[in-house]
């Protein structure tokens, strides 16, 4: 059963998130409007706690689609959890999350997943019935000296990426991967305040963006699409690094059709959050195993 959701007001949640996480975090009304109300897969599912007209507690999932052996499955991505200092000690974290899961029981949602840091993981497991799938592997690499001829960019590359993804999916009837259509990828790359680079050539497409850490530029590889070898993937990553003006790149997750290389980061140096968590919603007869997806990368969640 699919429930049509009305747009949610984001101003009270924005104020709470800024109070809890600070203005430097992604908490603006513009960002939340994009994340909560403009997602082509559907609008946010949330529970809130308000007192005297002020939001003091919030838990939210956004829908994201997975194609599991040709069937579309709707999952919830846990995106924001916040409780004001004034309301702590009331068990709101657990109550609000349980309320969202109760709301979604009997709907098209089969489960929920999220990425949690070391501090949040125990509470998600003990109080919200999440299970730890695995810590996401993270690699840092150096831009290859191997050059590639000029790739396609922009929406031309984005359309090619969707074609490549569809082609790989059609080759395996048991394929499990997130469903990135042109509309959903276009929405993902319209995230307010950030710029992304799309490249494609031959059988590989790539999405990346630049970040700076301690004065050093990194090309964050959000997603690699299609099918390639370690050499052809390295060439595409090198092209992304060159266009972004970086000599180093950061990659997290896995991709069984586009292998990457690099140096595995120790736990203490990993960006956060990176523990992949999962829980079912309601009484589901079959549940997809996120650990068996063909690819799971930064593009699948909201870290970058």
């Amino acid at each position: 059963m699919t429930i049509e959701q009305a747009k949610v007001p984001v101003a009270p949640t924005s104020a709470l998130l800024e109070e809890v996480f600070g203005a430097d975090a992604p908490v603006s009304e513009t960002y939340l409007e994009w994340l909560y109300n403009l997602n082509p897969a559907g609008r946010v599912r949330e529970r809130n706690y308000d007192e005297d007209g002020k939001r003091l507690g919030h838990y939210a999932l956004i829908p994201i689609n997975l194609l599991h052996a040709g069937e579309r499955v709707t999952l919830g991505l846990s995106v924001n959890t916040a409780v004001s200092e004034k309301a702590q000690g009331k068990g709101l974290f657990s109550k609000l999350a349980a309320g969202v899961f109760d709301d979604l029981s009997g709907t098209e949602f089969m489960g929920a997943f999220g990425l949690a840091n070391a501090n949040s993981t125990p509470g998600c497991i003990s109080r919200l019935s999440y299970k730890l799938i695995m810590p996401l592997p993270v690699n840092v690499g150096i831009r290859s000296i191997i050059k590639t001829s000029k790739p396609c960019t922009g929406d031309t590359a984005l359309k090619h990426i969707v074609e490549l993804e569809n082609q790989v999916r059609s080759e395996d009837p048991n394929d499990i991967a997130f469903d990135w259509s042109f509309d959903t990828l276009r929405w993902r790359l319209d995230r307010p305040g950030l710029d992304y680079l799309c490249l494609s050539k031959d059988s590989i497409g790539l999405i990346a963006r630049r970040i700076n850490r301690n004065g050093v530029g990194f090309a964050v590889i959000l997603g690699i699409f299609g099918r390639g070898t370690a050499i052809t993937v390295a060439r595409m990553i090198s092209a992304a690094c060159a266009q972004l003006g970086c000599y180093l790149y950061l990659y997290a997750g896995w991709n069984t059709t586009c292998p990457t290389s690099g140096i595995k980061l120790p736990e203490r140096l990993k960006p956060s959050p990176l523990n992949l968590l999962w829980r079912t919603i309601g009484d589901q007869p079959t549940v997809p195993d996120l650990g068996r997806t063909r690819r799971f990368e930064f593009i699948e969640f909201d870290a970058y």
Side-chain angles (χ1 to χ4, degrees):
M1 178 178 65
T2 300
I3 300 174
E4 182 64 28
Q5 293 291 112
K7 275 194 171 186
V8 301
V10 297
T13 300
S14 175
L16 170 64
L17 295 178
E18 182 172 349
E19 174 194 333
V20 174
F21 300 114
D24 291 337
V27 298
S28 72
E29 292 183 36
T30 302
Y31 168 78
L32 292 180
E33 179 67 20
W34 165 81
L35 183 66
Y36 283 9
N37 288 321
L38 301 180
N39 180 1
R43 296 190 180 116
V44 68
R45 299 328 199 238
E46 63 175 3
R47 278 289 187 103
N48 300 299
Y49 177 77
D50 298 341
E51 276 187 7
D52 299 324
K54 184 177 181 181
R55 184 140 300 162
L56 299 182
H58 176 73
Y59 184 84
L61 300 174
I62 61 167
I64 184 167
N65 292 324
L66 184 81
L67 285 176
H68 183 212
E71 298 292 328
R72 182 171 281 101
V73 174
T74 301
L75 308 178
L77 168 61
S78 180
V79 287
N80 284 318
T81 305
V83 177
S84 170
E85 186 176 356
K86 301 174 184 177
Q88 290 178 5
K90 300 180 180 180
L92 284 180
F93 170 64
S94 301
K95 291 176 183 177
L96 294 174
V100 170
F101 298 139
D102 287 345
D103 293 341
L104 297 180
S105 182
T107 71
E108 75 275 22
F109 284 78
M110 291 189 70
F113 71 99
L115 282 294
N117 59 26
N119 292 331
S120 301
T121 297
C124 291
I125 292 173
S126 63
R127 290 186 277 173
L128 303 185
S129 301
Y130 277 98
K131 295 180 179 179
L132 175 64
I133 295 179
M134 67 178 76
L136 228 58
V138 181
N139 289 340
V140 168
I142 301 173
R143 172 180 164 184
S144 172
I145 61 172
I146 304 173
K147 295 183 179 181
T148 187
S149 56
K150 189 175 181 180
C152 297
T153 59
D155 275 0
T156 300
L158 197 59
K159 291 175 183 177
H160 190 202
I161 283 171
V162 174
E163 292 171 359
L164 292 172
E165 184 69 4
N166 290 337
Q167 181 179 340
V168 172
R169 185 178 297 127
S170 69
E171 294 168 354
D172 182 1
N174 297 312
D175 181 67
I176 306 175
F178 286 88
D179 183 19
W180 289 112
S181 66
F182 182 83
D183 287 344
T184 53
L185 274 176
R186 181 71 275 161
W187 165 79
R188 177 67 173 83
L189 302 184
D190 282 340
R191 174 172 170 165
L194 300 183
D195 294 318
Y196 297 92
L197 173 69
C198 292
L199 299 178
S200 73
K201 183 172 178 60
D202 299 328
S203 63
I204 300 176
L206 180 148
I207 297 173
R209 65 173 291 254
R210 179 187 171 112
I211 62 168
N212 294 304
R213 292 290 183 269
N214 299 320
V216 179
F218 289 82
V220 177
I221 310 302
L222 278 83
I224 310 172
F225 300 83
R227 191 179 293 279
T229 66
I231 292 176
T232 56
V233 171
R235 286 175 176 165
M236 186 62 76
I237 291 176
S238 178
C241 288
Q243 291 210 28
L244 293 170
C246 304
Y247 286 94
L248 300 174
Y249 69 86
L250 177 69
Y251 176 84
W254 64 87
N255 190 316
T256 61
T257 58
C258 289
T260 58
S261 58
I263 301 170
K264 185 177 180 180
L265 280 182
E267 291 297 320
R268 63 185 178 84
L269 296 179
K270 283 184 179 181
S272 181
L274 288 169
N275 284 333
L276 179 57
L277 306 178
W278 163 263
R279 61 154 290 162
T280 57
I281 292 176
D283 185 16
Q284 298 292 346
T286 58
V287 178
D289 181 356
L290 285 190
R292 291 180 54 239
T293 56
R294 168 168 43 89
R295 40 181 300 280
F296 190 98
E297 300 166 303
F298 278 130
I299 194 74
E300 263 74 60
F301 57 107
D302 62 337
Y304 294 101

